[in-house]
Amino acid sequence: MRLYNHLFNCFKTMLFPLCIASLFLVGAEVAGMLGLSAVAPVLNGAVPFIVVFFATLGSIIEKRKIKALLATLCYGAFYSIFIVRNGGEAGLVFALVITLVAVALYKNANIYFATALLAVFALLIAFLSVYILEYAESFIMLSAGFVSRTSFIAPSLYGAVNMLCNLLDIHSFEELFLHSSYGSAQLLGDSIVTGAFDLFSAGGRGEYLADFITGKYLALIGLFGAGVGLFTNLKGDRKTAVMIILICALISGNYTLFLLSLILICPMALVSVIMLFVISFAVSSVLDLRTGYMFNGGIIELFSYINKPFYLALVSVLFFAFGYFTLNYNKLKFSFTDICEIYIPQSLEGFVNSLGGVRNISAIKGNRVNVKNIKLINELELEDFEVKDNSLLFSDSKKLDELKGYLE
């Protein structure tokens, strides 16, 4: 139970860090389009730091800020060594791993001992990252080679594998098709140009656009439908956060953070999303929809390079509907995880509500509960307690001990 609560409570806090990170990604894309080449990498590089800090902050009750800062500093040490050894961005995967370890350590060990162990772990991962990435790249190269040799089903397989890679914030698979011969090669002028994106940028308008690029637009529209489905089912701040992440994904063309949010809210939606990407690239290939992009593949660029507007408009409506209704089906069939709330058993729900809810509890020490707003306490439903400033002292600490096990 403790392991389940740890993983659940850590991932439940990811929605709001992802919301902030999405705004940074949009800022980076806008900076790149405006020619601010020095600003875009800084904003992109800040994303994993934001995730580590705010996810740790939201997963811990006591000494939250200092622990979140220490976890971020440990990630900074990892990042410094990673850049020196690998020469590229670390991505979100390492940030998520370090965050999970940080939360586990800070909840079960002294702050000094936990920080020391976290620092050792971060440095170890940094030194091992060379070998991890080497094996990952080899696997990606093999996958790309296999996909490119599958003839007419290559677009569908490309969509499925690319979606899974983007979910893990791995973009090297996509780049093999956009910037190398996996995505076709042609003689343009006096030089051979390779890669679907590079060919389009050089003025080419071949079928490679339908095979490896246009499907991204259809998938984005399907994700937009899923996002609207989420918006109609969620409440309060979760609704706002999801819509910010979705809008940022549509503008930036980077749907990694929205995919992660969607899977956190409804894990079973992963199957539907894979189907969405498979069908998106298959349909664009069959209908020969040749729509490319010059910058990031955001939804705005969709209207700049349309070759078959009627067909594109028709299938866009269908993909929006597919995303919307499959999301609602998953909601009815499997329900959503409550990623904004800590799991509390039914036997304690009434007690927690009387204390003003989980978010009103700042700390539990022995038979004392510290709350953020004493006015939210429902004194009529509580027994054998005494109010002192922003604390409640209970004569019996049995329920508090049980509740603390779920909050830790």
Side-chain angles (χ1 to χ4, degrees), residues 9-284:
N9 292 339
C10 185
F11 278 117
K12 75 178 177 60
T13 64
M14 290 300 301
L15 190 58
F16 300 100
L18 294 180
C19 177
I20 300 170
S22 295
L23 295 172
F24 272 69
L25 283 180
V26 168
E29 294 295 342
V30 172
M33 294 175 69
L34 296 176
L36 303 175
S37 56
V39 176
V42 174
L43 294 175
N44 274 322
V47 168
F49 287 90
I50 290 170
V51 171
V52 173
F53 180 82
F54 286 102
T56 307
L57 185 72
S59 300
I60 298 171
I61 293 179
E62 297 181 358
K63 299 181 180 179
R64 302 163 64 229
K65 294 181 180 178
I66 185 63
K67 290 178 179 178
L69 180 59
L70 290 171
T72 308
L73 290 174
C74 289
Y75 178 79
F78 157 82
Y79 186 80
S80 300
I81 297 174
F82 183 93
I83 292 296
V84 172
R85 291 176 64 84
N86 299 288
E89 293 295 333
L92 277 178
V93 175
F94 290 108
L96 292 174
V97 171
I98 289 175
T99 300
L100 282 171
V101 173
V103 173
L105 289 173
Y106 283 129
K107 284 187 173 182
N108 295 284
N110 175 280
I111 184 172
Y112 303 106
F113 182 63
T115 303
L117 285 179
L118 180 61
V120 171
F121 175 79
L123 294 176
L124 179 63
I125 292 294
F127 282 109
L128 291 176
S129 62
V130 173
Y131 307 103
I132 295 172
L133 292 180
E134 183 179 334
Y135 284 110
E137 290 301 322
S138 297
F139 179 76
I140 287 171
M141 289 289 290
L142 288 173
S143 301
F146 173 77
V147 169
S148 64
R149 292 192 298 269
T150 53
S151 185
F152 66 94
I153 65 169
S156 297
L157 285 178
Y158 169 79
V161 177
N162 190 37
M163 174 264 155
L164 293 173
C165 288
N166 273 275
L167 179 60
L168 297 173
D169 198 27
I170 298 172
H171 302 283
S172 54
F173 177 83
E174 182 180 30
E175 290 173 358
L176 287 173
F177 286 84
L178 298 185
H179 303 291
S180 73
S181 58
Y182 289 101
S184 188
Q186 285 187 8
L187 179 64
L188 296 178
D190 297 327
S191 59
I192 297 176
V193 182
T194 61
F197 179 86
D198 293 339
L199 281 165
F200 180 76
S201 300
R205 296 294 185 272
E207 63 181 16
Y208 49 82
L209 287 173
D211 291 343
F212 303 119
I213 290 185
T214 310
K216 176 180 180 178
Y217 285 121
L218 300 182
L220 272 176
I221 292 168
L223 291 177
F224 179 45
V228 173
L230 280 180
F231 185 80
T232 58
N233 283 285
L234 296 177
K235 297 179 181 179
D237 45 11
R238 289 174 295 174
K239 177 181 290 191
T240 304
V242 164
M243 285 312 297
I244 290 174
I245 296 171
L246 174 61
I247 291 170
C248 289
L250 293 174
I251 294 173
S252 68
N254 186 335
Y255 46 79
T256 296
L257 299 182
F258 179 73
L259 280 178
L260 187 56
S261 303
L262 179 61
I263 302 306
L264 289 175
I265 294 171
C266 186
M268 292 306 297
L270 176 62
V271 176
S272 300
V273 173
I274 293 175
M275 289 175 55
L276 169 66
F277 275 77
V278 168
I279 297 171
S280 296
F281 283 88
V283 168
S284 66

